[in-house]
Amino acid sequence: MNELDQLDELMTCRIDDGRKIVEPCSIVIFGASGDLTARKLIPAFYHLYGAKQLPTPFRIIGFARREKTDDQWREELRVALRQFSRSQPVDETIWEAFAPNLFYCQGDFSDANAYKKLAQQLSSFGNDQLRHHLLFYLATSPSQFGEVVEQLHNADLLHLGEQSGAWQRLVVEKPFGHDLQSAQALNADLTRHAHEKQVFRIDHYLGKETVQNILMFRFSNSIFEELWNRKSIDHVQITVSEKLGVGQRGGYYEEAGAIRDMVQNHLLQVLSLVAMEPPVSLDAEPIRDEKVKLLKSIRALSVSDVAKQVVRGQYFAGMIDGQLRPGYRQEGRVKSDSNVETYVALKLFLDNWRWSGVPFFLRTGKSLPLSASEVRIQFHRTPNVLFAAQCGSKLDANALTLRLQPNEGISLRFNGKVPGTSLQVRPVRMHFSYNTEFGAYTPEAYERLLLEAMAGDATLFIRRDEVETAWSIVDAIRKGWEGRALTNREFYSAGTWGPVAADDLLAQTGHAWRDPQPIA
Ligand code: BG6
């Protein structure tokens, strides 16, 4: 360690020591035969176990319809882990120690006897905490949430609120409803026998390091937060682009489209963290209060606003990395005349004191040239004198870019003199790169989220009013699209940065998209 590193180490403020207090508990995964369990949940638990972050003792029970023994389930998971683990090869010593904590419970979600069996299995664990600290992970279709909750309650496994020495929590995944009404119905199902505080709604973007860093960056530095308002900022661009098309998920995507799949959750979450007011403390509720307040400040969109401020797009066949990629309408389980959007761009205004008049441009799409998520804060131009008077629009505006993934980092772009005897000015950049600063560190979002749910910290989970407010924004947009087919200006070739209509959206106010750049 050099002297500078030693100094940085001394200056590191440890808000927690990286170890959550997680009491011994049992985790029950409903829908344990599904993809999510094999791809995400078990690899995440395995890594947490390897990092000694799981409590001692703990148990994981997979609950699913198919008949199998504990050993068969363990074997299936071992094979899946070899495929999906973020670290390769799988450490067999860790797996051998981890696997005996996995158990299987065969049953139908609607069969009361299956829950009795589950209750017996939990009692057989002996240890009081393993019997009474219960995390129910509902990796099922949302239409089954109500049934599972009801059955858990009937089997005396789920109670409203915490009793001394016992807690039960419900963890759920997206899609959380398909509109406000269905989300309200799901919320009613979940809270029939559990308090809101017992419900942990996952948005995996909140488990990403760089997304968590947004609050730290904003509220632990005075230089940026001073500028974080309409006086200094011209506009904000949030881009979440994906190179992949919809692939095997055509059936799901036909029902969702980009607005429900990405905007309702991930993009609005990033927006709320970028633009919210400072919370009164770092506790879960003050942070979530501010996020909801921010979402509520988004100016409501009427049907005519949607036509002016929201652009849909759909990809047709095109080249990505030298390969011809099919158009959306040619993907499996997609209608040949589908009007579903694979791209959305929005111009939103936040009606609050800080952001009044500042446009927030959000966009997301599939089959774009790069997979990248970033937030670009563009500052006002300098007054039109001196250099600006000479250079006009060639004198670039300053911008701060938060690169959420990949090449995680932050860049500041400003103007500088090109060395030499002539007078030339051009943009230069200052970069902070996570990898360079901290070395490669790539935990899966699920590791953090599972740990937080076990510890009972709801900061990184979506509260009921948050999810419902986000749906009301999305519902207004979908209402504006009703009965309108995509126009020619809303189609884009795979491998391009979206439809022409999205460029028009920014051009109306003299703006232009700044596309994420591959890092050489
Ligand atoms: C999921 C969406 O929630 O997020 C997918 O359903 C999308 O369509 C994915 O590809 C993007 O997540 P990430 O972590 O790869 O940016």
Side-chain angles (χ1 to χ4, degrees):
M1 213 187 261
N2 66 31
E3 231 172 86
L4 212 57
D5 289 340
Q6 278 171 1
L7 202 62
D8 288 347
E9 179 64 24
L10 276 176
M11 291 299 294
T12 302
C13 163
R14 292 184 170 76
I15 297 164
D16 66 19
D17 66 358
R19 284 186 148 268
K20 290 270 164 192
I21 299 163
V22 183
E23 300 161 317
C25 60
S26 297
I27 299 121
V28 183
I29 306 174
F30 289 92
S33 313
D35 231 26
L36 183 75
T37 308
R39 276 175 187 269
K40 299 287 184 191
L41 303 183
I42 295 299
F45 281 120
Y46 156 85
H47 280 106
L48 287 171
Y49 182 78
K52 304 202 178 344
Q53 302 221 312
L54 289 184
T56 315
F58 74 96
R59 298 282 184 276
I60 298 174
I61 300 181
F63 185 111
R65 225 159 294 155
R66 270 173 246 160
E67 198 71 62
K68 63 184 90 152
T69 63
D70 293 340
D71 280 339
Q72 280 166 334
W73 192 49
R74 290 171 191 159
E75 195 43 40
E76 274 174 26
L77 295 175
R78 180 208 290 261
V79 173
L81 189 67
R82 287 193 188 128
Q83 192 181 348
F84 300 118
S85 169
R86 68 172 164 84
S87 61
Q88 294 289 352
V90 168
D91 185 324
E92 293 298 333
T93 321
I94 295 179
W95 172 260
E96 291 301 334
F98 170 73
N101 297 293
L102 303 175
F103 297 87
Y104 189 75
C105 179
Q106 187 276 330
D108 198 284
F109 295 146
S110 58
D111 175 11
N113 286 327
Y115 293 81
K116 284 192 193 131
K117 205 162 64 179
L118 174 65
Q120 280 160 10
Q121 204 164 357
L122 287 164
S123 313
S124 76
F125 291 156
N127 177 311
D128 255 6
Q129 289 173 305
L130 290 179
R131 286 194 284 142
H132 298 302
H133 292 166
L134 304 174
L135 190 80
F136 298 115
Y137 200 111
L138 274 49
T140 68
S141 139
S143 59
Q144 289 160 321
F145 289 173
E147 174 83 62
V148 175
V149 165
E150 196 62 41
Q151 295 281 1
L152 283 173
H153 172 75
N154 293 343
D156 210 22
L157 289 171
L158 176 65
H159 306 112
L160 269 178
E162 293 200 2
Q163 310 81 39
S164 59
W167 55 254
Q168 302 97 41
R169 298 180 190 133
L170 299 167
V171 183
V172 295
E173 276 287 328
K174 74 175 264 254
F176 197 82
H178 52 270
D179 58 10
L180 175 59
Q181 207 186 356
S182 55
Q184 283 169 332
L186 284 182
N187 280 330
D189 281 346
L190 288 172
T191 52
R192 191 153 297 130
H193 300 297
H195 281 315
E196 170 60 23
K197 281 193 181 331
Q198 295 170 264
V199 180
F200 290 69
R201 297 177 194 78
I202 286 196
D203 180 320
H204 79 280
Y205 264 58
L206 296 185
K208 293 183 191 272
E209 282 288 332
T210 44
V211 174
Q212 289 164 29
N213 188 45
I214 296 174
L215 288 193
M216 206 152 287
F217 176 78
R218 288 190 52 199
F219 301 126
S220 69
N221 296 299
S222 61
I223 48 173
F224 299 112
E225 193 50 25
E226 286 291 313
L227 303 175
W228 219 256
N229 54 53
R230 72 195 143 86
K231 287 192 207 118
S232 307
I233 293 176
D234 177 76
H235 74 277
V236 175
Q237 298 186 11
I238 300 178
T239 300
V240 176
S241 64
E242 294 184 276
K243 217 173 186 174
L244 287 178
V246 299
Q248 306 302 313
R249 298 169 74 217
Y252 154 77
Y253 208 80
E254 279 283 273
E255 298 298 318
I259 193 93
R260 287 170 163 146
D261 187 44
M262 298 293 288
V263 177
Q264 189 274 342
N265 35 72
H266 311 324
L267 273 90
L268 289 179
Q269 283 299 317
V270 172
L271 168 67
S272 62
L273 293 170
V274 166
M276 70 187 235
E277 291 300 317
V280 293
S281 79
L282 291 175
D283 294 337
E285 297 319 325
I287 292 180
R288 301 200 295 179
D289 288 346
E290 292 305 331
K291 285 167 66 194
V292 175
K293 214 168 92 190
L294 189 281
L295 291 175
K296 290 197 166 153
S297 76
I298 295 177
R299 189 181 302 163
L301 295 170
S302 66
V303 168
S304 64
D305 293 333
V306 171
K308 284 181 259 159
Q309 288 177 227
V310 186
V311 168
R312 288 176 292 176
Q314 190 189 88
Y315 59 89
F316 54 86
M319 303 291 281
I320 300 187
D321 293 342
Q323 298 222 317
L324 181 65
R325 296 269 292 268
Y328 176 67
R329 289 177 178 180
Q330 285 92 55
E331 302 273 20
R333 293 193 287 153
V334 169
K335 285 202 227 103
S336 57
D337 59 351
S338 174
N339 245 317
V340 167
E341 77 290 350
T342 58
Y343 176 101
V344 190
L346 321 132
K347 174 163 72 174
L348 297 176
F349 288 100
L350 308 181
D351 283 333
N352 62 29
W353 194 264
R354 184 190 285 259
W355 295 115
S356 179
V358 178
F360 281 73
F361 298 108
L362 278 59
R363 64 174 167 168
T364 182
K366 302 243 183 232
S367 288
L368 300 183
L370 261 189
S371 289
S373 302
E374 58 180 51
V375 178
R376 182 186 164 92
I377 314 287
Q378 182 151 327
F379 296 93
H380 288 305
R381 293 185 170 280
T382 55
N384 198 26
V385 291
L386 307 180
F387 297 107
Q390 302 281 326
C391 304
S393 63
K394 272 195 138 180
L395 188 73
D396 208 12
N398 298 150
L400 182 80
T401 302
L402 311 180
R403 277 182 278 111
L404 306 180
Q405 61 184 26
N407 307 313
E408 291 79 359
I410 296 174
S411 308
L412 182 65
R413 185 179 162 102
F414 51 97
N415 294 308
K417 182 182 179 308
V418 179
T421 48
S422 61
L423 193 57
Q424 294 182 42
V425 55
R426 59 148 252 217
V428 294
R429 292 167 198 83
M430 262 165 56
H431 286 306
F432 149 66
S433 147
Y434 275 83
N435 270 3
T436 316
E437 185 73 27
F438 299 113
Y441 175 65
T442 48
E444 265 282 330
Y446 276 92
E447 291 168 33
R448 178 73 195 267
L449 294 173
L450 289 169
L451 201 60
E452 301 289 319
M454 284 187 281
D457 185 335
T459 313
L460 301 181
F461 298 85
I462 317 290
R463 206 167 62 187
R464 177 183 193 144
D465 47 357
E466 235 173 314
V467 90
E468 293 183 2
T469 310
W471 273 121
S472 59
I473 297 162
V474 164
D475 283 358
I477 295 172
R478 295 191 57 256
K479 188 154 175 250
W481 289 345
E482 255 168 34
R484 281 206 301 123
L486 290 164
T487 63
N488 280 347
R489 292 178 80 73
E490 291 173 316
F491 284 92
Y492 62 100
S493 166
T496 64
W497 278 107
V500 190
D503 295 334
D504 299 345
L505 176 71
L506 270 72
Q508 289 162 9
T509 45
H511 295 106
W513 292 110
R514 292 298 184 104
D515 301 327
Q517 297 299 314
I519 300 276

